[in-house]
Amino acid sequence: MAQSVIRPQVLIIKPPPAFTHFESDFTRKFDILRAWESPLPLDRFLTTHAQSVQALVCRALTPVNAELLQLLPALKLVASVSTGANHVDKAECRRRGIAVTNGGNASSEDVADIAVGLFIDVHRKISAADSYVRRGLWSSQGDYPLGSKIGGKRVGIVGLGRIGYNVAKRLEAFGCKISYNSKSERPSLSYPFYSDVCELAANNDALIICCALTDQTRHMINREVLSALGREGVIVNIARGAIIDEKELVKCLANREIRGAGLDVFENEPHVPKELVEMDNVVLSPHKAVYTLESLKKGSEVLIANLEAFFSNKPLVTPATDA
Ligand SMILES: O=CC(=O)O
């Protein structure tokens, strides 16, 4: 008689992006508890499975806070598909001895591509010009306002991890001059390092935010930094919205105290301040920098590798290291 293989149980509250593409890889290896398909309210669903769930899979916008963790007393692993794991209460996980993993570098290149895309779009007004043509203004109003050259721009990268480094490499190829601020200096790289983000802003034409959201980086880009960046300055954010004080950003953009912004992330997603929507010096994107089929496929492989390591007591592949 064929023996049925017992697959380890994994709880998913909300499926990862494009899950249907990778679902069979998961179901072959794991017994998935599908909270999102249950007619029960989430807390009842979790209570029902509380004693058995050891591993939880989550995505960037699903908060894994102390209240949720409390409903899962047997939990030993939170595996996030996202690069950033700021939505997981890591202090509570540490206290409970719950390991946390992230998506590693699965999407670093794709995120860097969007950072560069937003940077070019803000300077060369690609999206705004597209809208100009579509609205029939080319024939009635003539030439479109000038953009600003990419080559030669001084670009300050905030957070020179894998994503920031990929942004730096790409923009170097465009002839930009790179410097950076990061948790610590990377002596193996020749880019100038600024330990103070305000000084980085004062010495650059643009800032590109690539760091993790932590207690230290929340609202790190405040009025002082934006003022230091100055009237010709551009800011791009592909990291987390709350790294920038969004209210101050809106004011600076509205008063033309900085030139423009390219934003893939916002403080209260999916809410985007109405003022930003109405500005022509801002390019908006719905937190989609990671979304390519290729990066999501790689991310699902990393996730499976972490789950397999966990269930076979091996070292986790991509533990989340940010505080
Ligand atoms: O924002 C998305 C991610 O962190 O993967």
Side-chain angles (χ1 to χ4, degrees):
M1 210 168 72
Q3 281 202 330
S4 62
V5 180
I6 299 180
R7 292 160 303 153
Q9 194 181 57
V10 170
L11 168 67
I12 304 184
I13 292 178
K14 202 169 168 211
F19 185 56
T20 49
H21 287 274
F22 319 113
E23 191 165 356
S24 56
D25 297 341
F26 278 85
T27 45
R28 224 176 307 121
K29 293 170 187 279
F30 308 108
D31 171 19
I32 300 179
L33 284 177
R34 301 163 173 265
W36 78 96
E37 284 179 355
S38 167
L40 294 177
L42 182 60
D43 53 350
R44 291 252 321 274
F45 182 85
L46 297 186
T47 310
T48 311
H49 298 285
Q51 301 311 321
S52 61
V53 172
Q54 290 191 46
L56 163 67
V57 165
C58 65
R59 52 186 286 169
L61 299 179
T62 310
V64 179
N65 51 28
E67 295 81 69
L68 186 132
L69 292 166
Q70 201 181 12
L71 298 171
L72 298 169
L75 197 67
K76 287 279 166 259
L77 174 72
V78 176
S80 182
V81 289
S82 57
T83 311
N86 56 288
H87 57 295
V88 180
D89 185 338
K90 290 203 271 318
E92 178 62 8
C93 286
R94 261 194 304 275
R95 193 188 69 75
R96 291 252 317 260
I98 300 170
V100 181
T101 58
N102 64 14
N105 291 315
S107 60
S108 303
E109 292 179 355
D110 305 78
V111 174
D113 291 343
I114 288 287
V116 171
L118 289 170
F119 176 81
I120 295 176
D121 197 340
V122 175
H123 285 94
R124 300 301 311 273
K125 306 174 191 284
I126 300 171
S127 298
D130 174 275
S131 151
Y132 188 76
V133 174
R134 286 174 199 272
R135 285 183 295 145
L137 300 178
W138 191 11
S139 47
S140 61
Q141 297 189 13
D143 287 344
Y144 191 71
L146 297 180
S148 174
K149 188 175 171 64
I150 300 299
K153 286 271 176 312
R154 298 167 305 157
V155 180
I157 311 267
V158 180
L160 203 69
R162 192 65 72 104
I163 293 174
Y165 181 69
N166 275 306
V167 173
K169 284 279 147 221
R170 282 157 174 69
L171 286 178
E172 260 190 316
F174 281 89
C176 296
K177 298 185 183 77
I178 308 296
S179 55
Y180 72 104
N181 162 269
S182 222
K183 271 189 296 198
S184 53
E185 186 167 3
R186 293 182 59 179
S188 59
L189 300 178
S190 58
Y191 306 133
F193 170 71
Y194 289 87
S195 58
D196 179 51
V197 78
C198 228
E199 252 183 71
L200 181 77
N203 286 284
N204 278 289
D205 304 307
L207 290 182
I208 302 192
I209 314 303
C210 303
C211 60
L213 174 63
T214 64
D215 289 345
Q216 288 72 41
T217 63
R218 185 175 298 276
H219 282 196
M220 174 174 64
I221 308 298
N222 54 20
R223 166 155 284 277
E224 199 191 346
V225 176
L226 293 169
S227 301
L229 187 58
R231 298 190 82 77
E232 293 306 316
V234 162
I235 191 150
V236 170
N237 191 0
I238 46 74
R240 287 292 181 266
I243 297 167
I244 302 181
D245 183 335
E246 199 171 72
K247 285 202 176 70
E248 291 300 336
L249 176 66
V250 169
K251 280 192 220 152
C252 288
L253 286 164
N255 301 332
R256 304 273 164 173
E257 290 170 67
I258 62 170
R259 180 207 287 259
L263 306 170
D264 184 53
V265 289
F266 304 86
E267 270 206 75
N268 297 305
E269 294 173 8
H271 168 76
V272 176
K274 170 166 119 326
E275 297 92 327
L276 290 179
V277 175
E278 286 160 3
M279 289 173 185
D280 61 1
N281 52 342
V282 177
V283 180
L284 302 170
S285 163
H287 199 148
K288 66 179 270 301
V290 298
Y291 288 165
T292 66
L293 193 54
E294 292 84 350
S295 77
L296 295 176
K297 181 166 176 16
K298 204 160 155 206
S300 86
E301 288 164 8
V302 171
L303 179 61
I304 289 175
N306 275 312
L307 290 166
E308 286 184 317
F310 168 74
F311 285 115
S312 49
N313 285 322
K314 296 208 173 113
L316 297 168
V317 183
T318 54
T321 50
D322 52 278

